[in-house]
Structure formats: structure tokens, C-alpha cells
Short mmCIF file of all heavy atoms in Angstrom, two decimals:
data_model
loop_
_atom_site.label_atom_id
_atom_site.label_comp_id
_atom_site.label_asym_id
_atom_site.label_seq_id
_atom_site.Cartn_x
_atom_site.Cartn_y
_atom_site.Cartn_z
N GLU W 62 0.82 -1.22 0.00
CA GLU W 62 0.00 0.00 0.00
C GLU W 62 0.85 1.26 0.00
O GLU W 62 0.50 2.26 -0.63
CB GLU W 62 -0.93 -0.01 1.21
CG GLU W 62 -2.04 -1.06 1.11
CD GLU W 62 -2.77 -1.26 2.42
OE1 GLU W 62 -2.17 -1.02 3.49
OE2 GLU W 62 -3.94 -1.67 2.38
N ASN W 63 1.99 1.21 0.70
CA ASN W 63 2.90 2.36 0.69
C ASN W 63 3.44 2.62 -0.70
O ASN W 63 3.46 3.76 -1.17
CB ASN W 63 4.06 2.12 1.67
CG ASN W 63 3.82 2.68 3.05
OD1 ASN W 63 4.08 3.85 3.31
ND2 ASN W 63 3.30 1.84 3.93
N ILE W 64 3.89 1.57 -1.36
CA ILE W 64 4.47 1.74 -2.70
C ILE W 64 3.40 2.19 -3.69
O ILE W 64 3.65 3.02 -4.58
CB ILE W 64 5.13 0.43 -3.17
CG1 ILE W 64 6.30 0.07 -2.24
CG2 ILE W 64 5.64 0.57 -4.61
CD1 ILE W 64 6.91 -1.30 -2.52
N ALA W 65 2.19 1.67 -3.53
CA ALA W 65 1.12 1.96 -4.48
C ALA W 65 0.47 3.32 -4.29
O ALA W 65 -0.30 3.78 -5.15
CB ALA W 65 0.04 0.88 -4.37
N PHE W 66 0.78 3.99 -3.19
CA PHE W 66 0.05 5.20 -2.79
C PHE W 66 0.01 6.26 -3.90
O PHE W 66 -1.05 6.79 -4.25
CB PHE W 66 0.65 5.79 -1.53
CG PHE W 66 -0.07 7.00 -1.02
CD1 PHE W 66 -1.25 6.87 -0.30
CD2 PHE W 66 0.40 8.28 -1.28
CE1 PHE W 66 -1.93 7.99 0.17
CE2 PHE W 66 -0.27 9.40 -0.82
CZ PHE W 66 -1.44 9.25 -0.10
N GLY W 67 1.17 6.58 -4.47
CA GLY W 67 1.23 7.62 -5.50
C GLY W 67 0.43 7.26 -6.75
O GLY W 67 -0.16 8.13 -7.40
N LEU W 68 0.41 5.97 -7.08
CA LEU W 68 -0.35 5.53 -8.25
C LEU W 68 -1.86 5.64 -8.00
O LEU W 68 -2.63 5.98 -8.90
CB LEU W 68 0.01 4.08 -8.59
CG LEU W 68 1.47 3.85 -9.01
CD1 LEU W 68 1.75 2.36 -9.17
CD2 LEU W 68 1.80 4.59 -10.30
N LYS W 69 -2.28 5.36 -6.76
CA LYS W 69 -3.70 5.50 -6.41
C LYS W 69 -4.13 6.95 -6.50
O LYS W 69 -5.23 7.26 -6.97
CB LYS W 69 -3.95 4.94 -5.01
CG LYS W 69 -3.88 3.43 -4.92
CD LYS W 69 -4.19 2.93 -3.52
CE LYS W 69 -4.15 1.42 -3.45
NZ LYS W 69 -4.41 0.91 -2.08
N VAL W 70 -3.26 7.84 -6.03
CA VAL W 70 -3.56 9.28 -6.11
C VAL W 70 -3.75 9.70 -7.56
O VAL W 70 -4.61 10.52 -7.89
CB VAL W 70 -2.44 10.10 -5.44
CG1 VAL W 70 -2.62 11.60 -5.73
CG2 VAL W 70 -2.41 9.86 -3.94
N LYS W 71 -2.95 9.10 -8.45
CA LYS W 71 -3.05 9.41 -9.88
C LYS W 71 -4.18 8.66 -10.57
O LYS W 71 -4.35 8.76 -11.79
CB LYS W 71 -1.71 9.09 -10.58
CG LYS W 71 -0.56 10.00 -10.19
CD LYS W 71 0.73 9.56 -10.87
CE LYS W 71 1.89 10.48 -10.54
NZ LYS W 71 1.78 11.78 -11.20
N LYS W 72 -4.94 7.86 -9.77
CA LYS W 72 -6.10 7.11 -10.28
C LYS W 72 -5.73 6.10 -11.37
O LYS W 72 -6.44 5.92 -12.36
CB LYS W 72 -7.19 8.07 -10.78
CG LYS W 72 -7.78 8.93 -9.66
CD LYS W 72 -8.89 9.82 -10.17
CE LYS W 72 -9.69 10.49 -9.08
NZ LYS W 72 -8.98 10.93 -7.88
N VAL W 73 -4.58 5.46 -11.17
CA VAL W 73 -4.18 4.37 -12.07
C VAL W 73 -5.04 3.15 -11.75
O VAL W 73 -5.43 2.91 -10.60
CB VAL W 73 -2.67 4.05 -11.86
CG1 VAL W 73 -2.24 2.87 -12.71
CG2 VAL W 73 -1.83 5.29 -12.19
N SER W 74 -5.34 2.34 -12.76
CA SER W 74 -6.20 1.17 -12.57
C SER W 74 -5.52 0.15 -11.66
O SER W 74 -4.29 0.05 -11.61
CB SER W 74 -6.52 0.53 -13.92
OG SER W 74 -5.35 -0.06 -14.47
N LYS W 75 -6.33 -0.65 -10.95
CA LYS W 75 -5.80 -1.64 -10.02
C LYS W 75 -4.87 -2.65 -10.67
O LYS W 75 -3.81 -2.98 -10.13
CB LYS W 75 -6.95 -2.35 -9.30
CG LYS W 75 -7.61 -1.51 -8.22
CD LYS W 75 -8.64 -2.32 -7.44
CE LYS W 75 -9.26 -1.48 -6.33
NZ LYS W 75 -10.26 -2.25 -5.54
N PRO W 76 -5.22 -3.20 -11.86
CA PRO W 76 -4.30 -4.15 -12.50
C PRO W 76 -2.94 -3.52 -12.82
O PRO W 76 -1.90 -4.16 -12.65
CB PRO W 76 -5.05 -4.57 -13.77
CG PRO W 76 -6.50 -4.31 -13.47
CD PRO W 76 -6.50 -3.11 -12.60
N GLU W 77 -2.96 -2.27 -13.29
CA GLU W 77 -1.69 -1.62 -13.62
C GLU W 77 -0.90 -1.31 -12.36
O GLU W 77 0.33 -1.43 -12.34
CB GLU W 77 -1.93 -0.33 -14.41
CG GLU W 77 -0.62 0.29 -14.90
CD GLU W 77 -0.80 1.56 -15.72
OE1 GLU W 77 -1.95 1.86 -16.11
OE2 GLU W 77 0.21 2.23 -15.98
N ILE W 78 -1.60 -0.90 -11.29
CA ILE W 78 -0.92 -0.65 -10.02
C ILE W 78 -0.19 -1.91 -9.56
O ILE W 78 1.00 -1.86 -9.20
CB ILE W 78 -1.92 -0.19 -8.93
CG1 ILE W 78 -2.39 1.23 -9.21
CG2 ILE W 78 -1.27 -0.26 -7.54
CD1 ILE W 78 -3.44 1.74 -8.25
N LYS W 79 -0.89 -3.04 -9.60
CA LYS W 79 -0.26 -4.30 -9.15
C LYS W 79 0.96 -4.63 -10.00
O LYS W 79 2.01 -5.02 -9.48
CB LYS W 79 -1.26 -5.45 -9.20
CG LYS W 79 -0.67 -6.73 -8.62
CD LYS W 79 -1.65 -7.87 -8.62
CE LYS W 79 -1.07 -9.08 -7.87
NZ LYS W 79 0.30 -9.42 -8.22
N ALA W 80 0.82 -4.48 -11.30
CA ALA W 80 1.94 -4.80 -12.20
C ALA W 80 3.15 -3.90 -11.91
O ALA W 80 4.29 -4.38 -11.85
CB ALA W 80 1.50 -4.64 -13.66
N ARG W 81 2.89 -2.61 -11.71
CA ARG W 81 3.99 -1.67 -11.50
C ARG W 81 4.63 -1.83 -10.12
O ARG W 81 5.85 -1.71 -9.96
CB ARG W 81 3.51 -0.24 -11.74
CG ARG W 81 3.29 0.02 -13.23
CD ARG W 81 2.57 1.32 -13.52
NE ARG W 81 3.38 2.50 -13.22
CZ ARG W 81 3.03 3.73 -13.54
NH1 ARG W 81 1.87 3.94 -14.17
NH2 ARG W 81 3.79 4.75 -13.25
N VAL W 82 3.80 -2.10 -9.11
CA VAL W 82 4.35 -2.32 -7.76
C VAL W 82 5.19 -3.58 -7.75
O VAL W 82 6.30 -3.60 -7.18
CB VAL W 82 3.21 -2.41 -6.71
CG1 VAL W 82 3.77 -2.88 -5.37
CG2 VAL W 82 2.54 -1.05 -6.54
N ASP W 83 4.70 -4.65 -8.34
CA ASP W 83 5.47 -5.91 -8.39
C ASP W 83 6.79 -5.71 -9.12
O ASP W 83 7.84 -6.22 -8.70
CB ASP W 83 4.65 -7.01 -9.09
CG ASP W 83 3.50 -7.51 -8.23
OD1 ASP W 83 3.48 -7.21 -7.02
OD2 ASP W 83 2.60 -8.20 -8.78
N GLU W 84 6.75 -4.95 -10.20
CA GLU W 84 7.96 -4.72 -11.00
C GLU W 84 8.99 -3.92 -10.21
O GLU W 84 10.17 -4.29 -10.16
CB GLU W 84 7.60 -3.98 -12.29
CG GLU W 84 8.80 -3.70 -13.17
CD GLU W 84 8.45 -2.86 -14.40
OE1 GLU W 84 7.33 -2.28 -14.44
OE2 GLU W 84 9.29 -2.78 -15.31
N ILE W 85 8.56 -2.83 -9.59
CA ILE W 85 9.52 -1.98 -8.87
C ILE W 85 10.03 -2.67 -7.62
O ILE W 85 11.20 -2.54 -7.24
CB ILE W 85 8.90 -0.60 -8.53
CG1 ILE W 85 10.01 0.43 -8.27
CG2 ILE W 85 7.98 -0.65 -7.33
CD1 ILE W 85 10.77 0.85 -9.47
N ALA W 86 9.16 -3.47 -6.96
CA ALA W 86 9.59 -4.21 -5.76
C ALA W 86 10.70 -5.20 -6.11
O ALA W 86 11.68 -5.34 -5.37
CB ALA W 86 8.40 -4.94 -5.14
N ALA W 87 10.56 -5.85 -7.24
CA ALA W 87 11.58 -6.81 -7.68
C ALA W 87 12.90 -6.09 -7.96
O ALA W 87 13.98 -6.59 -7.61
CB ALA W 87 11.11 -7.56 -8.92
N LYS W 88 12.81 -4.90 -8.54
CA LYS W 88 14.03 -4.15 -8.89
C LYS W 88 14.79 -3.68 -7.67
O LYS W 88 16.02 -3.56 -7.70
CB LYS W 88 13.67 -2.97 -9.80
CG LYS W 88 13.33 -3.37 -11.22
CD LYS W 88 13.06 -2.16 -12.10
CE LYS W 88 12.78 -2.58 -13.54
NZ LYS W 88 12.46 -1.42 -14.41
N VAL W 89 14.06 -3.37 -6.59
CA VAL W 89 14.75 -2.93 -5.36
C VAL W 89 14.93 -4.10 -4.38
O VAL W 89 15.28 -3.91 -3.22
CB VAL W 89 14.01 -1.76 -4.67
CG1 VAL W 89 13.93 -0.56 -5.57
CG2 VAL W 89 12.63 -2.18 -4.18
N GLU W 90 14.68 -5.32 -4.88
CA GLU W 90 14.93 -6.56 -4.14
C GLU W 90 14.08 -6.68 -2.88
O GLU W 90 14.57 -7.05 -1.80
CB GLU W 90 16.43 -6.68 -3.82
CG GLU W 90 17.28 -6.77 -5.07
CD GLU W 90 18.77 -6.88 -4.78
OE1 GLU W 90 19.14 -6.90 -3.59
OE2 GLU W 90 19.55 -6.96 -5.74
N LEU W 91 12.80 -6.35 -3.01
CA LEU W 91 11.81 -6.63 -1.97
C LEU W 91 11.06 -7.90 -2.38
O LEU W 91 10.53 -7.98 -3.49
CB LEU W 91 10.83 -5.47 -1.81
CG LEU W 91 11.38 -4.22 -1.11
CD1 LEU W 91 10.40 -3.06 -1.28
CD2 LEU W 91 11.64 -4.47 0.37
N GLU W 92 11.04 -8.90 -1.50
CA GLU W 92 10.41 -10.17 -1.81
C GLU W 92 8.88 -10.04 -1.78
O GLU W 92 8.33 -9.19 -1.05
CB GLU W 92 10.84 -11.22 -0.79
CG GLU W 92 12.35 -11.49 -0.77
CD GLU W 92 12.86 -12.05 -2.08
OE1 GLU W 92 12.07 -12.75 -2.76
OE2 GLU W 92 14.02 -11.78 -2.43
N PRO W 93 8.15 -10.87 -2.55
CA PRO W 93 6.68 -10.80 -2.58
C PRO W 93 6.04 -10.89 -1.19
O PRO W 93 5.07 -10.19 -0.91
CB PRO W 93 6.29 -12.00 -3.45
CG PRO W 93 7.47 -12.20 -4.36
CD PRO W 93 8.66 -11.85 -3.53
N GLU W 94 6.61 -11.74 -0.31
CA GLU W 94 6.02 -11.86 1.02
C GLU W 94 6.22 -10.59 1.86
O GLU W 94 5.44 -10.32 2.79
CB GLU W 94 6.59 -13.08 1.77
CG GLU W 94 8.09 -13.10 1.94
CD GLU W 94 8.81 -13.81 0.80
OE1 GLU W 94 8.22 -13.95 -0.29
OE2 GLU W 94 9.95 -14.23 1.02
N GLN W 95 7.27 -9.82 1.54
CA GLN W 95 7.50 -8.58 2.28
C GLN W 95 6.46 -7.51 1.93
O GLN W 95 6.22 -6.59 2.73
CB GLN W 95 8.91 -8.05 1.99
CG GLN W 95 10.00 -8.92 2.61
CD GLN W 95 11.39 -8.48 2.21
OE1 GLN W 95 11.61 -8.04 1.07
NE2 GLN W 95 12.34 -8.58 3.12
N LEU W 96 5.86 -7.61 0.76
CA LEU W 96 4.86 -6.62 0.36
C LEU W 96 3.61 -6.67 1.25
O LEU W 96 2.90 -5.67 1.36
CB LEU W 96 4.45 -6.85 -1.10
CG LEU W 96 5.54 -6.65 -2.15
CD1 LEU W 96 4.99 -6.94 -3.55
CD2 LEU W 96 6.10 -5.23 -2.10
N LYS W 97 3.40 -7.80 1.91
CA LYS W 97 2.22 -7.94 2.77
C LYS W 97 2.47 -7.43 4.18
O LYS W 97 1.53 -7.25 4.97
CB LYS W 97 1.81 -9.42 2.84
CG LYS W 97 1.50 -10.04 1.49
CD LYS W 97 1.29 -11.54 1.62
CE LYS W 97 1.13 -12.20 0.24
NZ LYS W 97 1.03 -13.68 0.36
N LYS W 98 3.73 -7.18 4.53
CA LYS W 98 4.08 -6.80 5.89
C LYS W 98 3.77 -5.33 6.17
O LYS W 98 3.69 -4.51 5.26
CB LYS W 98 5.56 -7.07 6.15
CG LYS W 98 5.93 -8.54 6.18
CD LYS W 98 7.41 -8.72 6.51
CE LYS W 98 7.77 -10.19 6.63
NZ LYS W 98 9.18 -10.38 6.99
N LYS W 99 3.65 -5.02 7.47
CA LYS W 99 3.55 -3.63 7.90
C LYS W 99 4.96 -3.02 7.92
O LYS W 99 5.96 -3.74 8.06
CB LYS W 99 2.94 -3.54 9.31
CG LYS W 99 1.52 -4.07 9.42
CD LYS W 99 0.53 -3.18 8.68
CE LYS W 99 -0.90 -3.65 8.92
NZ LYS W 99 -1.88 -2.89 8.11
N ILE W 100 5.03 -1.71 7.79
CA ILE W 100 6.31 -1.04 7.78
C ILE W 100 7.10 -1.31 9.06
O ILE W 100 8.32 -1.49 9.03
CB ILE W 100 6.10 0.49 7.61
CG1 ILE W 100 5.54 0.79 6.21
CG2 ILE W 100 7.41 1.25 7.82
CD1 ILE W 100 6.42 0.34 5.06
N SER W 101 6.41 -1.39 10.19
CA SER W 101 7.08 -1.61 11.47
C SER W 101 7.77 -2.97 11.56
O SER W 101 8.62 -3.18 12.43
CB SER W 101 6.07 -1.47 12.61
OG SER W 101 5.01 -2.40 12.45
#
């Protein structure tokens, strides 16, 4: 949700948001399971 925040503000569609978040998370080496965690 943190990564997707700016895309939601720009009213990007949900499928595109998921695709872009997954892509950028992989590039900065965040694992899929980490995307579900809280920041804390």
C-alpha cells in the first residue's frame, strides 16, 4: 500500500498498479512476502 500510494492518487487502474508495484519491488529486491508486511 505504501508503494502503491502515489499511483492510487493518480487514479491508475488496479491491475496496472499491481503490475507496477510488483515490478519496482523486484528491482529494489523486496520479496513478494514482504509486500504484505507492515512497515514496522
Side-chain angles (χ1 to χ4, degrees):
E62 290 168 334
N63 267 275
I64 297 173
F66 183 79
L68 296 174
K69 288 182 179 178
V70 170
K71 291 177 178 288
K72 295 183 169 37
V73 176
S74 69
K75 284 186 178 180
E77 186 179 349
I78 288 176
K79 185 178 187 313
R81 288 169 69 172
V82 170
D83 288 346
E84 180 185 14
I85 201 71
K88 285 183 177 178
V89 299
E90 298 179 0
L91 286 169
E92 299 297 330
E94 58 269 20
Q95 290 174 324
L96 295 179
K97 302 172 186 176
K98 292 183 176 182
K99 298 291 186 186
I100 293 300
S101 59

